Amino acid sequence: MGIEANPPTALVQTTVQADWTEVVTDALRLGSTGTFWISCYKRGSPSVHGTAKVSVVADRKVQFTGQDGVVLETITNYSFKVKVPEYNDFEVEVYGTGRRSKISKISCLDVSPEGAFFVVGSEDGTIRIGETETGRITQELKGHLQYANTCRFFPSGQVVLSGGGDFLLKIWSALDGSCPVTMKGHVKPVSDTAIIDRGRNILSSSNDGTVKLWEVASGTTIRTLTQGDSRINAIAVDTWTTPLESKLPLDAREVGTEGKLTIAAAEDGMSYGFDVRASEEVFRMRSCNKASVRACTFSSQLSLIATGTSEGVVETFDIRKVDQVVSRFQRSSAGISSLGFNIPKDSVSQEPHLIIGCDDSGLYEAKSIRDTTAEIVREYVGFDLDGPAHARAVAGGPAVVAISKEGGLLRFPGNLGVRSA
């Protein structure tokens, strides 16, 4: 079903001098002051170009003050709140990176369920596992013949799934680095993966236009959910409350597929919903301006689907009524490279957030994504990067882990007590 709606809400974009965290570090080291620039942009309004002053106060703490159209409030030494009177007192929090690991040419990222470890894939096909807190690499896994497009931890945190430009899917032990299973079946690069329940079955998508269901133990394809002409860029899977009645006999290799819905984001501007057990299309949604859909995420807990396009437009839908856009917004024209829900620990009194990575290395967090009043609440900045940004919230702790192609692995401390959806 096609969806026609109003143009996306234009969000305020805040940019900060790339090395601003180094300005803070130098001020602390020398006991001096420093300055850096802050710019804010809002469609239809004059841009605001302000200046931030860093001053060292007692106990090695800094204070931020704003000039030239911006008002600043200190949060920590490496985070602050920006208020822009010109934009009806718009406010946004800015967080700088605390730690980074120099791993070049990173192409994909995941964080273990408990948050202690990360896994990243590189353009040369190498998969690396490391400690989230320190950045120390614990395993370096080689086996892919081309770039790695996707890597994910299984729920146990002890097994990793990867897929790449060599058309292969691989299962790795995070403990000893072995690769007991390699899965073959796609005829073009693997674009994304999703793990069903504990991981006896998995899903994969590819540039060949297919979404496939696999048994991990045997490394065999159970069936192909869809075979289209357009490549599938991303998939997401979760439970849903109105599954279809399957006409297919249950395959002996199939475990946990009942009541599962997978979202598939396609290059032709469509997002599809497929009942995994029935292997039938449930719905389809056309993106704003029919732009390529590059990222998607799905939370049954929130009853929300989010998609992001090559034009930087993010759309959210209620799974119970997918023929209507819940929210549609745009920060810039840079394409969306990753999406992830953030659920506040107190989900009764706080609304869900969405962490959004962009092709220009932008990384921001939006709230009010259930209605037309979406706005950016946090910008994660403080590094000069190149290429798409991907991010994961760290469960059980106030941090966001992010990557960009040339910038390596970055850890942003203190995202105010939210956990990953």
Side-chain angles (χ1 to χ4, degrees):
M1 61 193 75
I3 298 177
E4 301 297 333
N6 295 326
T9 300
L11 304 185
V12 176
Q13 180 178 4
T14 303
T15 60
V16 183
Q17 184 173 313
D19 63 349
W20 75 271
T21 55
E22 295 179 17
V23 174
V24 174
T25 300
D26 288 344
L28 286 168
R29 180 171 55 85
L30 301 173
S32 60
T33 61
T35 61
F36 56 87
W37 58 260
I38 300 174
S39 294
C40 299
Y41 307 89
K42 183 180 181 181
R43 187 186 303 163
S45 301
S47 56
V48 175
H49 302 287
T51 302
K53 181 179 179 180
V54 182
S55 304
V56 180
V57 294
D59 300 324
R60 288 187 57 78
K61 295 182 179 179
V62 303
Q63 183 176 34
F64 297 98
T65 54
Q67 305 171 13
D68 305 322
V70 296
V71 178
L72 302 188
E73 177 185 327
T74 304
I75 300 176
T76 70
N77 282 357
Y78 294 97
S79 60
F80 54 87
K81 181 182 290 185
V82 182
K83 179 184 285 187
V84 186
E86 179 74 18
Y87 298 162
N88 298 319
D89 287 334
F90 164 78
E91 293 183 350
V92 65
E93 296 170 356
V94 175
Y95 284 78
T97 179
R99 294 186 178 90
R100 69 173 66 197
S101 299
K102 294 292 185 179
I103 309 171
S104 64
K105 309 289 186 183
I106 298 180
S107 50
C108 52
L109 161 76
D110 196 20
V111 174
S112 61
E114 81 290 347
F117 294 92
F118 65 85
V119 58
V120 293
S122 298
E123 287 190 356
D124 65 357
T126 303
I127 306 295
R128 294 177 176 87
I129 300 171
E131 298 171 347
T132 306
E133 180 66 26
T134 65
R136 184 179 72 89
I137 302 300
T138 58
Q139 296 286 350
E140 190 168 281
L141 315 174
K142 294 184 179 293
H144 280 292
L145 306 177
Q146 293 187 37
Y147 55 88
N149 256 344
T150 172
C151 54
R152 293 189 186 276
F153 278 101
F154 279 65
S156 66
Q158 298 180 357
V159 181
V160 167
L161 168 66
S162 66
D166 53 7
F167 315 166
L168 302 177
L169 294 154
K170 286 182 173 291
I171 304 295
W172 307 88
S173 167
L175 303 178
D176 62 18
S178 61
C179 178
V181 179
T182 296
M183 291 173 275
K184 302 177 182 180
H186 287 295
V187 296
K188 288 186 178 180
V190 176
S191 58
D192 203 2
T193 54
I195 296 172
I196 296 174
D197 289 348
R198 297 174 62 184
R200 292 178 66 178
N201 289 167
I202 63 164
L203 292 164
S204 64
S205 63
S206 169
N207 292 0
D208 61 18
T210 65
V211 176
K212 291 181 180 292
L213 175 68
W214 305 78
E215 184 195 34
V216 170
S218 64
T220 57
T221 304
I222 298 174
R223 61 178 170 271
T224 298
L225 271 63
T226 179
Q227 172 69 70
D229 296 328
S230 180
R231 79 183 189 207
I232 305 298
N233 293 315
I235 54 174
V237 68
D238 209 338
T239 58
W240 70 314
T241 57
T242 55
L244 302 181
E245 183 177 347
S246 178
K247 300 175 183 177
L248 299 174
L250 181 66
D251 191 293
R253 299 167 295 172
E254 198 170 345
V255 180
T257 59
E258 186 71 37
K260 297 298 189 300
L261 180 74
T262 186
I263 310 301
E267 184 68 13
D268 62 3
M270 301 298 293
S271 295
Y272 301 90
F274 295 99
D275 184 297
V276 178
R277 174 69 186 88
S279 289
E280 292 184 22
E281 181 181 312
V282 181
F283 58 80
R284 60 174 62 190
M285 308 175 293
R286 187 175 297 282
S287 69
C288 179
N289 296 329
K290 302 180 182 179
S292 300
V293 187
R294 297 292 174 81
C296 64
T297 188
F298 170 36
S299 170
S300 62
Q301 179 180 346
L302 300 174
S303 297
L304 281 178
I305 299 168
T307 61
T309 76
S310 58
E311 296 180 350
V313 176
V314 176
E315 297 176 301
T316 63
F317 307 84
D318 190 312
I319 187 61
R320 297 161 295 190
K321 201 170 186 180
V322 295
D323 59 340
Q324 295 182 10
V325 177
V326 174
S327 181
R328 172 181 282 155
F329 54 88
Q330 183 182 36
R331 172 181 177 269
S332 72
S333 61
I336 304 301
S337 50
S338 75
L339 293 168
F341 288 115
N342 254 359
I343 305 175
K345 291 183 176 179
D346 181 4
S347 59
V348 175
S349 62
Q350 297 187 54
E351 60 185 306
H353 291 185
L354 189 62
I355 294 181
I356 301 155
C358 305
D359 287 348
D360 63 355
S361 300
L363 184 61
Y364 66 97
E365 190 166 338
K367 70 173 185 177
S368 300
I369 58 175
R370 289 190 184 276
D371 53 48
T372 58
T373 63
E375 61 179 330
I376 297 175
V377 289
R378 298 186 188 101
E379 294 268 6
Y380 296 96
V381 298
F383 50 91
D384 190 9
L385 298 182
D386 175 42
H390 299 265
R392 294 286 189 274
V394 178
V400 168
V401 174
I403 60 166
S404 191
K405 181 178 176 181
E406 299 295 344
L409 179 82
L410 305 114
R411 185 179 188 275
F412 294 90
N415 72 325
L416 304 185
V418 295
R419 59 183 172 82
S420 175

